[in-house]
Amino acid sequence: MSTRYPTGTPEELEAAVAAASMAIQRGRLVVLPTDTVYGVAADAFDADAVATLLAAKGRGREMPPPVLVSAATTLDALAVRVPGYARALVEELWPGPLTLVCHMQSSLQWDLGDTRGTVAVRMPDHPVALELLERTGPLAVSSANRTGMPAATDADQAEEMLGDRVEVLVDAGESPGGEASTILDVTGSQGRVLRHGALSLERLNEVLEPLGATVTDEG
């Protein structure tokens, strides 16, 4: 069973982040809050931990988890050939509910599953998530639910679905967003929506209009 940590005071937050960081270092799973929904996290560079995450969700290697980062500059450590329109979206919309599927750095020593040479990256707009990410580095994070179930928007839901699979559950109350991130494929000359989410197609194109770029809807 997981240990649940509140985050209501600075002291509680420090204890929660410290416990979660230690669990990640030991290759264990952690539930953490984000700006969209609650997520279940593992060290992105620990292949066994990532495999445990996929098993906890009931997923196979064909559905690799996205990677959360604490700074936009980390994108270039994980991805290559990031197009200008994608950088414009990062500058305007990160941190926030936008996940970018990019060409992956071939030198990375990790195994997220069958990625086909890509990596999905996001910088969440949530202070607790960012505090943890600053200590751990990039985390493989998927929504805190069993596959086929609704994504958890509070710690109770996450604990009900994944409590026996995670070591630490960081409780920061109800998710402020409650809707999953928009996933955008930026591996080509034009962005393609792979999953509709908190950011609308209109908002994405509003950012890109000055560049003469557009995003297409294939979600």
Side-chain angles (χ1 to χ4, degrees):
M1 288 294 291
S2 59
T3 302
R4 188 158 162 171
Y5 290 84
T7 57
T9 68
E11 293 77 18
E12 288 176 341
L13 174 59
E14 172 57 31
V17 171
S21 179
M22 285 296 297
I24 291 292
Q25 289 177 26
R26 293 198 300 269
R28 307 300 171 83
L29 302 186
V30 166
V31 164
L32 77 161
T34 79
D35 51 329
T36 55
V37 297
Y38 270 71
V40 57
D43 182 349
F45 294 93
D46 184 332
D48 290 339
V50 173
T52 300
L53 186 156
L54 293 174
K57 284 185 60 76
R59 279 188 173 182
R61 287 176 53 81
E62 74 282 357
M63 297 184 74
V67 175
L68 296 193
V69 298
S70 64
T73 51
T74 307
L75 180 63
D76 287 316
L78 306 180
V80 293
R81 305 197 304 278
V82 178
Y85 71 85
R87 295 189 183 279
L89 291 170
V90 165
E91 186 171 338
E92 181 70 23
L93 301 173
W94 275 15
L98 177 64
T99 300
L100 298 180
V101 177
C102 308
H103 293 290
M104 185 171 66
Q105 282 273 13
S106 59
S107 61
L108 289 171
Q109 299 298 309
W110 65 8
D111 182 4
L112 298 173
D114 297 331
T115 63
R116 302 179 190 86
T118 64
V119 59
V121 188
R122 184 168 93 84
M123 180 183 176
D125 189 12
H126 194 289
V128 177
L130 291 172
E131 178 75 21
L132 178 59
L133 287 161
E134 284 176 6
R135 298 200 196 183
T136 61
L139 293 177
V141 181
S142 188
S143 56
N145 60 289
R146 294 282 295 170
T147 296
M149 302 288 287
T153 57
D154 62 33
D156 288 339
Q157 295 170 9
E159 188 169 33
E160 184 177 342
M161 287 185 277
L162 296 171
D164 59 339
R165 302 294 191 100
V166 304
E167 183 163 302
V168 170
L169 193 152
V170 180
D171 183 357
E174 186 83 14
S175 295
E179 186 177 7
S181 68
T182 299
I183 300 179
L184 188 66
D185 181 345
V186 297
T187 60
S189 60
Q190 187 176 37
R192 296 183 304 120
V193 174
L194 301 181
R195 181 182 76 188
H196 291 283
L199 275 175
S200 67
L201 187 66
E202 291 74 22
R203 178 68 180 113
L204 298 176
N205 281 323
E206 180 184 302
V207 175
L208 296 180
E209 186 178 8
L211 300 178
T214 57
V215 167
T216 60
D217 184 2
E218 293 192 25

